[in-house]
Amino acid sequence: MKSKLLLIVLSLCTSFAFAQSIDVSGTVVDGSGLALPGVNVKVKSSSQNTTTDFDGSFKLSGVSKGASVVFSYIGYRTQEVVVSGTKMTVKMADDAKSLDEVVVIGYGTQKKREVTGAVSVVDSKTLDILKPARIEQALQGTVSGVNVTTQSGAPGAPLDIRIRGIATNGQNAPTVIIDGYVGDLGLLSPNDIETITVLKDAQAAIYGTIGANGIILVTTKMGKKNTKTRVSFNSYAGFQETSRKLPTLNATEYALLLNESYANGGRPLPYPNVSGLGSGTDWQKEVFQKAPIINNDLTISGGSDKLTYSISGSHLDQEGIVGGDKSGFLRNTARLGLSADLSDKFKLKTNVIYTYFTRKTLNENGLGSVLFNALNVPATLKPYDANGEFTLVPSTTGLGNEIINPLAQIANTYNDYNYKKLNGNFGLDYKIFKGFTLSSSIGFNTSNSEGKSFAKQISYGGKVFDVQRSSVNQSAVNDNNYSFDLFGTYTTKIADAHNVTGTLGTTIFKEWGNGLSATGFDVPNNSWEFADISLTKGVSATLTNSSYVYDQRRLSYFGRLQYDYKGKYLLSGMLRRDSSTKFGPGNKVGYFPSFTAGWVVSEEGFFGTPKFINFLKLRGSYGTLGNDQIQNYGYLGLLNGEATYVFDGTLVNGTAGGQVPNPDLKWEEAQKFDVGLDLKVLNDKVFIVADYFIDTRKDLLIQNIPVSGITGTGAPGASAPTLNAGSVRNKGFEFSVEYKDKISDSFSFSLAYNVTFLKNEVLEVNNGTGFIETGAFGVGQPAAARMEVGKPIGYFYGYKTDGIFQNQAEVDAHPSQVALGAAAAPGDLRYVDVNGDGVIDTKDKTNIGDPIPDATMGFNLQLNYKNVDFAVYTFASVGNDMIRNYERTLSDANRLNYVLDRWTGEGSTNSTPRVTTGATSNNVLSSYFVEDASYFRIQNVQLGYSLSPSVTQKVGISKLRLYAGVNNLYTFTKYKGFDPGASSGAPIGGGIDYGFYPIPRTYLMGLNINF
């Protein structure tokens, strides 16, 4: 009887328990109602979990009523929902800036709340909005402390990234690490990028000798576990046009001005009758054109419980706004990313990227470039003569021997460059025991390129660009490198309060390659179709081929210890030991230590319950990083110069001594100091980051230090040695603030602003003269830019002006300017006697401008209303100067229309000098040619519309978004040139404008489809 009663009781209990357990299903969507696949769904305090499928759906069996289900997904705020029925719909709130977000910091990751260095992150959402042709463009205005300048707006042209200023006269570019290996940011498809992390301070010391200029860490997209195959297709097409045309003189204005110039010089008028000239030829209109751009990206991703994958391909085809397909760029990329859990202990990860691009180029910058000619050819000349041939620009003294018809220049430019690169990595993680993981990775880059250029036999009418003999030059380059990383990471928690993470490892890096270049003469039929060395039979009396081979290596050991107490007190110490083949036996090894610390004040008991301030962290860092970005074997004497010897009465080409060796060559070091704070207020709606930094670069690796002429450094292929002979300091302040709010379920927005103030100063130049100068201005003039103690690196060195001489009495009362080339006359520029010695000469040269901006800033806005999204990204640079050097100072060259305000008599103007063909000193480098190039640029405007999921999912589409946008919409500036933000990239002389190819304004229409 008792046993029967017990059985009844157990049956009732079991029935009651089953009655409280139900099967739950539902859908997870984002803020706009689109399905979210791959969301982790877990029953709290249980091992039961799943992930949402492609449609954002999930199902859990046997869940107790009242239980909590936790929904988590990267980039969204984790949510808990109490089970009250069998169906639920969960909307995930965007939380891309969450303090629990994982940040890549090099050889590991860290929660954002625990990061103690100056670190900034750009995510894939930003890249989706900006639609950059090259990824570097996405860093401009989105990351404080980072400035991106263009060398040219031509398709495929390189961009220069500077993190916290210019610190050396050599290589200033940061090192890019893609999924753990050294790579090239410009060759990646933006669609493949998950995050870009910028390490700006001593946090980068874990990378030792390659970290002095900062580190950019790129994480590529991977599939997610337990998700169905997801197909994403992104496409846009549009056209490009010049963002700016310079106001040159039309034919009538030009003729009248030239008449005045000749009259002032006492010469006959070249245009006795100007009637009928009209506007003449607008050479910029002839040169510039609308050019198409097309981009397509396809990604297939997904995963099972043990395997994730991502396969993608992209195609970019872009023509140039100058020359069309003669300055075109085509890039194709293919990528495969795999991650596999081989067992509970082993995890394999691989990422392989193939890139192929072709690029054709024109003479884009400098004396004789296409735009230089378009600005300087007189509007009175026509593009074509009566026979339909290109008009020849006269070779008169007033037009010089380098100004030619730009249309003829484009038509007679022939070149092609093909580049193929395979790069990637293979990694294996082994969990030896709880808390300890051993990681290994092999990264590799192998590339091959071929170039060909053809010089057609042609005459431009006695110009320096005349080609007397046709030729073809061909080159082939093979570059390779690999890295092997092996490191262990141990993480443990002691007494529930002390968290410790230790990392110890080694890196082996090898880079090698070779190149070959040769020239053949007398191309058959004087034609590009026959431009190949195998077809040329001409013989040259000079050496027509060259080759090189190189091999460099680094062996590194590194360690890092991270500690925090209850998430409040954060400490980190790093040490890296590098050994490089670029330095001699006594200086091969360098040690690079760094320390960081942080205090999360908001976690302290005295802080109380967060009200206005939700999070406050103070942090600081100090460390030493290295730089070895110089040519190989600078400590050795090599036979790589050119020489001609006489053997048996015959001239024979051979080799001679190259660079003068310096056995004492050693590492360039960067000492980086940073203090900052991270602050969240107003219920996490406002996020503020501020940093003060000092970056001091010592033992600068300065090339071509002057030495005795006895060594023969002026011989072909020879050069002066490289020495550690300088020091530069950058100090500044960074501030960024972001405000994100959700007004309702239909409307949300975000505002972001960042600003960087920077001061650059050269502390030391030990090269025998106390300064380094370079950078050309005009023709035959001294160097225009210098690196000198007490001045910013690359400052402009010339004469300071003080208005215009209004009459002869002012000329007589002023120190003589004869030493500058001619005696002054009324209407000429008046130069300042800087040293007060009563005469204007080279001793009066001084600082007349600084190409480094005092401040850079970005302001960005994003709005979302129901299915409509809108975004604006802007950038500003304040205080940067540029030298106007795109106008040829010949009497008959065309001018910009500002010259219409020239001096024509006493009191007419005090800014623009007279025009004359007579002798004058108005054309020497002075502050007259230096302009404030501050600017504000609307970089991107985009408007998008997403179709409702209830409509698209009926045809198997989870997301369909259409958008229209404009890149480089408008630039507000007083600078007269094409692009106030351009630079040649040179630390000294980079701010001299030779007629930079402008960044195009691009109109786009596109779509995003997810299946």
Side-chain angles (χ1 to χ4, degrees), residues 608-662:
T609 303
K611 294 180 181 179
F612 175 76
I613 298 178
N614 309 113
F615 178 80
L616 172 61
K617 177 176 65 178
L618 304 177
R619 49 184 170 74
S621 66
Y622 180 79
T624 301
L625 297 90
N627 182 27
D628 68 346
Q629 303 303 299
I630 57 173
Q631 74 283 355
N632 293 316
Y633 311 116
Y635 64 96
L636 294 174
L638 300 176
L639 289 171
N640 58 2
E642 300 177 21
T644 302
Y645 302 92
V646 178
F647 290 106
D648 297 328
T650 304
L651 292 177
V652 179
N653 293 319
T655 59
Q659 176 181 273
V660 175
N662 173 19

Side-chain angles (χ1 to χ4, degrees), residues 786-965:
R786 280 190 169 190
M787 174 183 177
E788 187 175 0
V789 174
K791 306 288 196 307
I793 191 169
Y795 82 96
F796 304 137
Y797 185 67
Y799 298 97
K800 192 174 182 180
T801 59
D802 184 25
I804 304 291
F805 288 115
Q806 296 298 321
N807 51 55
Q808 189 60 41
E810 291 186 2
V811 174
D812 295 338
H814 193 71
S816 172
Q817 298 183 173
V818 174
L820 303 190
D828 285 343
L829 291 170
R830 179 170 50 212
Y831 298 108
V832 177
D833 184 10
V834 173
N835 66 351
D837 64 356
V839 63
I840 307 296
D841 57 18
T842 56
K843 297 177 184 177
D844 294 301
K845 284 189 173 184
T846 187
N847 182 358
I848 57 173
D850 178 7
I852 301 175
D854 298 323
T856 56
M857 61 193 75
F859 176 77
N860 309 313
L861 167 68
Q862 294 184 48
L863 303 172
N864 293 277
Y865 178 71
K866 294 185 177 179
N867 293 345
V868 178
D869 59 87
F870 176 75
V872 178
Y873 280 73
T874 68
F875 177 78
S877 178
V878 180
N880 54 299
D881 298 319
M882 292 187 79
I883 293 179
R884 187 177 70 251
N885 192 36
Y886 44 79
E887 296 173 286
R888 188 69 169 93
T889 54
L890 293 166
S891 62
D892 290 16
N894 203 0
R895 306 286 186 86
L896 267 62
N897 66 3
Y898 71 85
V899 76
L900 296 176
D901 296 326
R902 70 212 174 277
W903 187 90
T904 55
E906 187 170 351
S908 57
T909 182
N910 198 38
S911 58
T912 306
R914 66 188 176 119
V915 292
T916 181
T917 58
T920 175
S921 60
N922 290 333
N923 294 324
V924 300
L925 176 60
S926 68
S927 56
Y928 172 69
F929 294 97
V930 178
E931 296 183 19
D932 180 3
S934 300
Y935 68 96
F936 173 77
R937 175 171 291 158
I938 303 176
Q939 297 196 124
N940 179 275
V941 178
Q942 188 177 122
L943 177 66
Y945 178 78
S946 299
L947 271 67
S948 172
S950 61
V951 175
T952 60
Q953 289 179 2
K954 291 180 180 179
V955 292
I957 298 176
S958 61
K959 177 182 179 181
L960 175 58
R961 176 177 177 267
L962 305 173
Y963 66 88

Side-chain angles (χ1 to χ4, degrees), residues 222-237:
M222 295 295 292
K224 295 177 174 60
K225 288 187 175 182
N226 299 307
T227 59
K228 295 179 180 179
T229 298
R230 181 181 183 183
V231 180
S232 175
F233 177 70
N234 303 302
S235 177
Y236 66 78

Side-chain angles (χ1 to χ4, degrees), residues 261-553:
S261 177
Y262 271 61
N264 288 340
R267 300 173 61 184
L269 302 184
Y271 292 95
N273 182 9
V274 300
S275 62
L277 289 177
S279 297
T281 302
D282 183 346
W283 287 99
Q284 291 178 82
K285 185 177 180 180
E286 296 292 332
V287 166
F288 285 123
Q289 64 182 64
K290 286 183 168 60
I293 180 172
I294 298 172
N295 185 84
N296 295 300
D297 297 303
L298 178 67
T299 302
I300 303 172
S301 62
S304 62
D305 187 50
K306 299 292 185 180
L307 177 71
T308 63
Y309 58 90
S310 178
I311 305 169
S312 65
S314 72
H315 170 79
L316 172 68
D317 194 351
Q318 182 181 12
E319 290 189 4
I321 58 174
V322 177
D325 61 355
K326 289 248 177 162
S327 63
F329 179 70
L330 184 148
R331 183 189 67 206
N332 292 315
T333 65
R335 175 178 165 270
L336 172 63
L338 291 174
S339 178
D341 294 339
L342 304 180
S343 68
D344 292 338
K345 291 184 174 291
F346 285 97
K347 181 176 182 179
L348 176 69
K349 185 177 181 180
T350 181
N351 182 46
V352 179
I353 303 172
Y354 174 77
T355 302
Y356 168 78
F357 75 79
T358 64
R359 186 180 182 219
K360 297 180 180 180
T361 58
L362 297 166
N363 189 336
E364 297 169 358
N365 190 7
L367 190 69
S369 70
V370 172
L371 290 177
F372 175 90
N373 287 315
L375 294 175
N376 288 280
V377 174
T380 52
L381 294 178
K382 296 181 179 180
Y384 306 94
D385 60 21
N387 299 320
E389 302 292 333
F390 291 113
T391 299
L392 296 179
V393 178
S395 297
T396 61
T397 302
L399 281 172
N401 64 356
E402 76 276 355
I403 299 176
I404 63 175
N405 186 328
L407 297 180
Q409 183 179 14
I410 293 172
N412 294 310
T413 297
Y414 301 92
N415 64 69
D416 194 12
Y417 179 76
N418 301 301
Y419 183 92
K420 302 172 185 177
K421 183 171 186 176
L422 184 67
N423 61 303
N425 72 330
F426 297 90
L428 183 66
D429 294 342
Y430 174 39
K431 294 182 180 180
I432 298 179
F433 53 82
K434 183 180 179 181
F436 183 69
T437 301
L438 185 65
S439 301
S440 62
S441 176
I442 296 177
F444 65 92
N445 291 270
T446 179
S447 64
N448 294 277
S449 62
E450 296 179 350
K452 179 191 289 187
S453 62
F454 167 57
K456 184 178 182 179
Q457 182 181 356
I458 192 171
S459 173
Y460 293 101
K463 303 288 186 174
V464 294
F465 299 106
D466 290 357
V467 179
Q468 306 298 330
R469 190 179 182 189
S470 66
S471 64
V472 57
N473 177 269
Q474 292 177 244
S475 63
V477 175
N478 174 38
D479 294 316
N480 309 273
N481 69 54
Y482 76 82
S483 60
F484 175 69
D485 296 311
L486 180 64
F487 60 96
T489 303
Y490 178 67
T491 303
T492 188
K493 193 168 198 175
I494 304 173
D496 290 329
H498 306 275
N499 300 293
V500 179
T501 299
T503 303
L504 188 65
T506 182
T507 294
I508 299 171
F509 179 82
K510 178 180 178 179
E511 189 168 31
W512 74 101
N514 56 73
L516 176 66
S517 177
T519 301
F521 290 89
D522 302 333
V523 175
N525 300 319
N526 194 29
S527 169
W528 169 248
E529 284 74 20
F530 295 90
D532 193 274
I533 290 178
S534 64
L535 301 177
T536 58
K537 305 301 179 184
V539 179
S540 174
T542 59
L543 188 66
T544 60
N545 57 63
S546 63
S547 64
Y548 66 88
V549 62
Y550 68 95
D551 185 342
Q552 66 182 62
R553 309 175 190 192

Side-chain angles (χ1 to χ4, degrees), residues 771-789:
F771 62 84
I772 299 171
E773 58 182 6
T774 187
F777 176 79
V779 177
Q781 293 201 37
R786 280 190 169 190
M787 174 183 177
E788 187 175 0
V789 174

